[in-house]
Amino acid sequence: MSTVRAITAEAAARVDVHLMDPEKGGFKLEQLMELAGLSVAETAFQLVHERATVETGSRSGVVAVLCGPGNNGGDGLVAARHLTHFGLKPVVLVPKRVEREPFVGLMTQLRMLGVPSATLDDMDLILSDAVLVVDAVFGFSFKGQVRAPFDRVIKALKSHEHKTLSVDVPSGWDVEKGSTTADGFSPFALISLTAPKICSRQFKGRHFIGGRFVPLDEFNIDVPMYAGTQQSVEIANDSVV
Amino acid sequence: MSTVRAITAEAAARVDVHLMDPEKGGFKLEQLMELAGLSVAETAFQLVHERATVETGSRSGVVAVLCGPGNNGGDGLVAARHLTHFGLKPVVLVPKRVEREPFVGLMTQLRMLGVPSATLDDMDLILSDAVLVVDAVFGFSFKGQVRAPFDRVIKALKSHEHKTLSVDVPSGWDVEKGSTTADGFSPFALISLTAPKICSRQFKGRHFIGGRFVPLDEFNIDVPMYAGTQQSVEIANDSVV
């Protein structure tokens, strides 16, 4: 079986800087976020259809998307939009509003599409109802302690970890050390963007890779075996080295 | 069989203005172009694989992408980038360089990925070699007469129309009246973005719809039957009304 090398938070940050350097990659943040969010949505769609078929025979269902204040949250907002076009019913939970771009635009796009935006007061009810929870709270730039109100969010995620898909890094995990408490949050699925981060070596659930937009050779990153025009691919959970 | 209503150039322009109004749609041009270009790439990928299997038994091949100076050309540049990630070998032909965004960034992205950019001197050779030609020269805002050097480009496209996929509008066609000469350019495939334009009522080839990012109900536009997470869908060529 082929292996996939994990990268550090520092390497992931270097890739982003390179991609968005006008002289090097020439990308706008909005473009990268659009494609990252689309790969999250494709994965979420696949998981919903698998679970819905198994558990209820139905193909409908609410997807709760918890969005943090950084780029990981932005990926979640984009994913929620695409999920609507895919025929699902996302609800976004944004514990901390961010009044700068691209977040303002992403929220406007969801409003135009009629995607509900809920507050923390409704969080428990929405998470209980949801067929799938997308954890887009913290990504690879998260460091240190989880502060309010996100401590409450991660506690809620823990209660629903059996149906949670985390984006890039399970929220609250140290990007290199992983889960730092024995009874920590452990989502059933993870989508690593571009490449798995070091912490995912200890991840035991279903593991996907998304973000098919980086010239991987240039960064000495392993190329996952995407099929056809797919934006995400599942890898064996013991293949990360 | 269900029908799909065609829209005017004016209606298409109104949708774009609405989508990019910060108070209404909240989109950036780069986001919309990314998704439009991705739907073009998905369609091109499908056509290449069909043709390659039938004609040569091979799955590789050069895709020539001819890009005009407007947003249609931008969609083509994005499509070329995605085609590279899909494992194909695009070559972009840009008869007239545009020194403003998003074109400068899109060209930088292609350079980083190693996608060759050819000049008109190489056009005939590249079009002859290509397994598929993508016509992203003019879109729905084209009006009037085709001027140099694009007259030469459309003449070349005519010679390769049996393997040309046009983006949104076959280049040189009037967006409402269609082909205005009896022996005009007639591509074998067309991908309409968001909704077919009026001219496509007279189009007889394979017809796809892409651009799965518009809240269609809001604009009273027919929703095509996209499958799963697909970004483009083929419609019957006599279904446009």
Side-chain angles (χ1 to χ4, degrees):
Chain A
M1 188 194 63
S2 65
T3 56
V4 184
R5 270 171 304 163
I7 64 172
T8 61
E10 197 202 336
R14 258 201 317 269
V15 171
D16 271 4
V17 168
H18 189 106
L19 291 177
M20 287 184 273
D21 182 326
E23 304 291 318
K24 291 173 184 163
F27 278 99
K28 295 275 185 297
L29 175 61
E30 283 84 356
Q31 282 180 283
L32 300 177
M33 203 170 261
E34 196 60 42
L35 296 170
L38 179 63
S39 67
V40 172
E42 278 199 14
T43 306
F45 179 88
Q46 180 187 330
L47 293 172
V48 167
H49 278 224
E50 286 176 14
R51 295 172 79 84
T53 307
V54 171
E55 289 167 19
T56 70
S58 152
R59 295 196 128 206
S60 67
V62 168
V63 178
V65 186
L66 274 82
C67 300
N71 289 348
N72 204 255
D75 296 339
L77 296 175
V78 171
R81 173 159 42 77
H82 287 291
L83 285 171
T84 308
H85 290 297
F86 296 164
L88 297 178
K89 297 182 189 72
V91 176
V92 296
L93 278 142
V94 183
K96 203 169 164 182
R97 293 276 167 155
V98 182
E99 294 303 329
R100 63 171 196 277
E101 291 299 349
F103 302 94
V104 174
L106 293 172
M107 290 301 287
T108 304
Q109 293 153 32
L110 289 172
R111 209 161 46 236
M112 177 175 59
L113 209 51
V115 176
S117 168
T119 65
L120 281 189
D121 295 340
D122 303 315
M123 179 170 65
D124 292 335
L125 192 64
I126 289 168
L127 293 188
S128 296
D129 271 1
V131 62
L132 184 81
V133 178
V134 177
D135 156 29
V137 180
F138 297 127
F140 72 77
S141 45
F142 171 77
K143 267 185 191 165
Q145 291 296 106
V146 176
R147 296 208 171 77
F150 294 105
D151 49 348
R152 200 182 133 196
V153 172
I154 288 169
K155 212 171 154 190
L157 280 172
K158 166 84 188 148
S159 307
H160 298 280
E161 62 185 10
H162 64 286
K163 60 177 179 184
T164 296
L165 165 67
S166 285
V167 177
D168 212 21
V169 175
S171 293
W173 283 28
D174 183 281
V175 186
E176 259 102 55
K177 292 179 213 139
S179 181
T180 49
T181 50
D183 61 345
F185 166 50
S186 182
F188 94 101
L190 169 69
I191 175 167
S192 295
L193 297 174
T194 304
K197 308 305 170 292
I198 301 288
C199 63
S200 72
R201 287 176 185 156
Q202 66 172 253
F203 177 71
K204 299 292 176 214
R206 292 183 63 181
H207 195 166
F208 298 80
I209 300 188
R212 194 180 185 180
F213 51 74
V214 179
L216 297 165
D217 296 338
E218 178 140 348
F219 297 102
N220 195 25
I221 288 175
D222 288 339
V223 183
M225 288 287 103
Y226 291 105
T229 63
Q230 293 298 301
Q231 299 293 317
S232 86
V233 59
E234 186 163 8
I235 60 171
N237 68 3
D238 53 354
S239 61
V240 180
V241 294
Chain B
M1 189 196 62
S2 65
T3 55
V4 184
R5 271 170 305 162
I7 65 172
T8 61
E10 197 202 338
R14 258 203 315 272
V15 170
D16 270 4
V17 168
H18 190 106
L19 291 177
M20 286 184 273
D21 182 326
E23 305 291 318
K24 291 173 185 162
F27 278 99
K28 295 275 185 297
L29 175 61
E30 283 84 356
Q31 282 178 284
L32 301 177
M33 203 169 261
E34 196 60 42
L35 296 170
L38 180 62
S39 67
V40 172
E42 278 198 14
T43 306
F45 179 88
Q46 180 186 330
L47 293 173
V48 167
H49 278 224
E50 287 176 14
R51 295 173 78 84
T53 307
V54 171
E55 290 167 18
T56 70
S58 152
R59 295 195 128 205
S60 67
V62 168
V63 178
V65 186
L66 273 83
C67 300
N71 288 348
N72 204 256
D75 296 340
L77 296 175
V78 171
R81 173 159 42 78
H82 287 291
L83 285 171
T84 307
H85 289 298
F86 296 164
L88 297 178
K89 298 182 189 73
V91 176
V92 297
L93 279 142
V94 184
K96 204 170 164 179
R97 294 275 166 156
V98 182
E99 294 303 329
R100 62 170 196 278
E101 292 298 347
F103 302 94
V104 174
L106 293 172
M107 290 301 287
T108 304
Q109 292 153 34
L110 289 173
R111 210 162 42 237
M112 177 175 58
L113 210 52
V115 175
S117 168
T119 66
L120 281 189
D121 295 339
D122 303 315
M123 180 169 66
D124 292 334
L125 192 63
I126 289 168
L127 294 188
S128 297
D129 271 0
V131 62
L132 184 81
V133 177
V134 177
D135 156 30
V137 180
F138 298 128
F140 71 77
S141 46
F142 171 77
K143 265 184 192 167
Q145 290 296 107
V146 176
R147 294 207 172 78
F150 294 105
D151 49 349
R152 198 181 134 197
V153 173
I154 288 169
K155 210 170 154 191
L157 279 173
K158 166 83 188 150
S159 309
H160 298 280
E161 62 185 10
H162 64 286
K163 60 177 180 183
T164 295
L165 164 68
S166 285
V167 177
D168 211 22
V169 175
S171 293
W173 282 29
D174 183 282
V175 186
E176 259 101 55
K177 292 180 213 138
S179 181
T180 49
T181 49
D183 61 345
F185 168 50
S186 182
F188 95 101
L190 170 69
I191 175 167
S192 295
L193 297 174
T194 305
K197 308 305 170 292
I198 301 289
C199 63
S200 72
R201 287 176 185 156
Q202 66 173 254
F203 178 70
K204 300 291 176 214
R206 293 183 63 182
H207 195 165
F208 298 80
I209 300 188
R212 194 180 184 181
F213 50 75
V214 180
L216 297 165
D217 297 338
E218 178 140 348
F219 297 103
N220 195 26
I221 288 175
D222 288 338
V223 183
M225 289 287 103
Y226 291 104
T229 63
Q230 293 298 302
Q231 298 293 316
S232 86
V233 59
E234 186 163 7
I235 60 171
N237 68 4
D238 54 353
S239 62
V240 179
V241 293

